[in-house]
Amino acid sequence: MAVNEFKSTDPESQETQQEYHDLLTNIKQRMDPDSNTVLLVDDERAIRRRVARDIKKNDSTLVIYEAGNGQEALEQLEKIREDYKRDPVFIVLDLNMPVMNGWDTIKALKKDYESKGLSQGIPIIVLSSTSGETGMAVFKKSVHDGKSKYTPLVSVAKESCIDARRYDAAGSKGLTAWLKYFMRGTSY
């Protein structure tokens, strides 16, 4: 019998055996730098590729998943959770996409962490060329000043953004700064 094996025929001990196995699996995954993932969500493949390149420059051990819209992102998130038994380090998310936009993705992710009784979710870096707002008056949504109600969320204006003043950062330098912030501590 190997050192990390635990065998028993007692039902209560078998439950403990499963917990022990799950603990060892969790420890092994957390010690494996290749178990750190990032999810990039943008309908423009060129943007995803550029952001992936920037991430790899800063931490080549991160495994990058990509999605072209929010629905694909939620599917990829489930795959990441299934394969790695943990959430991505962060998500880079565009707002304007077909099928399921960034606003609805943020809403779904917020519902996900709240349903688990958590006070915050996976860090989101919103990368957008729009104003970062949608809707009117009472129905207005914004990624600025905590108005999205998603925690933690930062907003970065793409290079092509018309008005980047209300964003937390702008351009590739701003994005790189936030990528580094969320990646700190991912390398072992």
Side-chain angles (χ1 to χ4, degrees):
M1 186 181 294
V3 175
N4 64 351
E5 286 187 36
F6 179 83
K7 299 285 183 195
S8 175
T9 56
D10 176 49
E12 193 171 306
S13 294
Q14 287 176 344
E15 185 176 315
T16 303
Q17 177 181 349
Q18 184 60 45
E19 290 171 3
Y20 176 73
H21 174 72
D22 292 346
L23 175 64
L24 287 178
T25 301
N26 193 344
I27 290 169
K28 185 187 267 186
Q29 287 172 332
R30 291 192 179 275
M31 291 176 64
D32 178 7
D34 292 333
S35 70
N36 286 320
T37 61
V38 172
L39 180 55
L40 306 180
V41 189
D42 198 305
D43 57 326
E44 293 182 51
R45 185 181 176 115
I47 300 277
R48 292 193 316 262
R49 294 293 178 202
R50 188 172 14 154
V51 174
R53 187 180 60 239
D54 290 346
I55 290 169
K56 286 294 190 178
K57 274 189 215 173
N58 289 289
D59 187 341
S60 62
T61 66
L62 286 170
V63 178
I64 298 174
Y65 282 75
E66 296 183 24
N69 62 61
Q71 182 177 332
E72 289 176 12
L74 296 176
E75 291 166 4
Q76 289 288 52
L77 178 58
E78 287 308 310
K79 183 171 178 20
I80 291 167
R81 287 173 170 168
E82 184 178 310
D83 292 349
Y84 295 95
K85 309 295 187 245
R86 63 195 288 184
D87 285 336
V89 175
F90 59 87
I91 297 171
V92 177
L93 179 68
D94 187 19
L95 293 176
N96 293 329
M97 298 177 289
V99 184
M100 183 179 194
N101 64 35
W103 299 104
D104 290 337
T105 306
I106 291 168
K107 184 178 177 180
L109 291 169
K110 184 175 187 299
K111 184 177 178 181
D112 177 63
Y113 78 75
E114 287 177 338
S115 72
K116 295 175 182 172
L118 301 173
S119 61
Q120 62 182 9
I122 304 163
I124 295 177
I125 301 172
V126 170
L127 183 61
S128 184
S129 60
T130 68
S131 67
E133 297 179 331
T134 188
M136 309 262 310
V138 182
F139 302 106
K140 191 171 197 169
K141 297 180 199 173
S142 176
V143 294
H144 308 296
D145 307 319
K147 292 178 182 161
S148 72
K149 306 280 191 259
Y150 186 97
T151 304
L153 181 141
V154 295
S155 58
V156 177
K158 288 182 182 176
E159 305 286 351
S160 59
C161 187
I162 297 169
D163 184 8
R165 290 177 293 166
R166 296 194 56 211
Y167 282 84
D168 296 316
S172 59
K173 286 184 181 180
L175 176 62
T176 300
W178 280 109
L179 292 174
K180 286 180 180 179
Y181 175 81
F182 285 118
M183 285 189 289
R184 69 179 196 269
T186 60
S187 296
Y188 295 90

